[in-house]
Amino acid sequence: MYLSRFVSLFALALVAVGQDIFIPAVKKAFDDADIPEDIEIVFNPTALLEVSLPQTVGPPIILHAGIHVPRNDTAGPPTFHVVGNVGHGPFVVATVDPDAPTPADPTEAQVRHFLGGNFFNENGLLVNVTPAVSEFRQPTPPAGSPAHRYTFLLFNQSPEFNSQTLVNASTIVTNFNISQFASAVDLGNPIAGTFMLVAPDPAT
Ligand SMILES: *[C@@H]1O[C@H](CO)[C@@H](O)[C@H](O)[C@H]1NC(C)=O
Ligand SMILES: *[C@@H]1O[C@H](CO)[C@@H](O)[C@H](O)[C@H]1NC(C)=O
Ligand SMILES: *[C@@H]1O[C@H](CO)[C@@H](O)[C@H](O)[C@H]1NC(C)=O
């Protein structure tokens, strides 16, 4: 019993190498990176959000919380999966950068890198049936900055989301506040999330 459980966990780890597998590890990575404090959210995830970045050559990069990704590999747009017993949806996905223009002086934070709703859970794949409110923007941390924490959050969608007027495709992406937005639109706390660290392109 113990041995077979060990073997199947080991097999799972081999298959799933790289991506988030354990919810407590994701929570710890968020806490260790001070993300809940810095974006003023309560982060007690009950599921895993899997974010895949397509690559021009080779398989997608699947994030795990705190992974460093070369900026050039972050063009996206990402696809999202959810792992956990979360129901069919709808869901909202938000991506924010709390470190713009630099982590030490984040005067433009948060920058909204994605905001989309009406995602439904199709056997784990999150499929959106409406265009995103804010389409994905590739990370562009400025030269000289340390890596930024690009943070992806999954929320249960509220009835209010589809009639919100706070953000649209032409709303400025800087000085966004996901805590304030979630509160205004009644999204509650995120149910899952992950984040990647992206540094500026090396000087050429
Ligand atoms: C960066 O990405 C572009 C487009 O995907 C590719 O053509 C280029 O070779 C990449 N550069 C590096 C240094 O990987
Ligand atoms: C988009 O939102 C901005 C506020 O962020 C508002 O001023 C503008 O009228 C909105 N545009 C449309 C087309 O709704
Ligand atoms: C973001 O919104 C929350 C309210 O949800 C507020 O407490 C906080 O001060 C805001 N942060 C900034 C930087 O404005």
Side-chain angles (χ1 to χ4, degrees):
M1 161 79 178
Y2 175 79
L3 182 65
S4 71
R5 181 176 299 173
F6 178 80
V7 168
S8 59
L9 269 179
F10 184 64
L12 182 68
L14 281 181
V15 170
V17 69
Q19 68 219 48
D20 291 317
I21 306 176
F22 296 117
I23 292 171
V26 175
K27 178 172 165 51
K28 182 172 189 306
F30 268 67
D31 289 343
D32 288 351
D34 295 327
I35 291 173
E37 183 184 342
D38 289 352
I39 65 175
E40 296 153 287
I41 52 155
V42 174
F43 189 63
N44 286 317
T46 56
L48 295 169
L49 175 62
E50 195 177 285
V51 177
S52 304
L53 294 169
Q55 301 300 308
T56 41
V57 177
I61 294 175
I62 302 176
L63 304 190
H64 62 81
I67 186 177
H68 283 265
V69 180
R71 197 197 80 87
N72 206 49
D73 296 341
T74 60
T79 55
F80 305 113
H81 285 77
V82 65
V83 181
N85 193 6
V86 294
H88 187 54
F91 303 97
V92 171
V93 177
T95 308
V96 297
D97 172 10
D99 295 322
T102 65
D105 191 23
T107 51
E108 295 170 3
Q110 298 140 28
V111 175
R112 188 174 60 256
H113 280 261
F114 182 80
L115 180 63
N118 303 303
F119 279 95
F120 289 89
N121 178 1
E122 306 287 355
N123 298 314
L125 178 66
L126 292 172
V127 178
N128 58 347
V129 299
T130 58
V133 174
S134 257
E135 291 293 353
F136 182 71
R137 300 170 67 86
Q138 182 174 12
T140 52
S145 173
H148 293 194
R149 300 164 291 173
Y150 296 88
T151 304
F152 295 80
L153 299 169
L154 180 70
F155 297 87
N156 283 314
Q157 183 170 316
S158 60
E160 292 91 322
F161 182 83
N162 280 329
S163 52
Q164 66 83 24
T165 56
L166 299 169
V167 176
N168 59 46
S170 42
T171 308
I172 188 163
V173 295
T174 52
N175 297 111
F176 182 58
N177 182 334
I178 187 59
S179 160
Q180 186 179 56
F181 180 82
S183 157
V185 181
D186 206 17
L187 297 179
N189 298 323
I191 60 170
T194 194
F195 68 100
M196 62 178 171
L197 300 171
V198 182
D201 281 328
T204 45

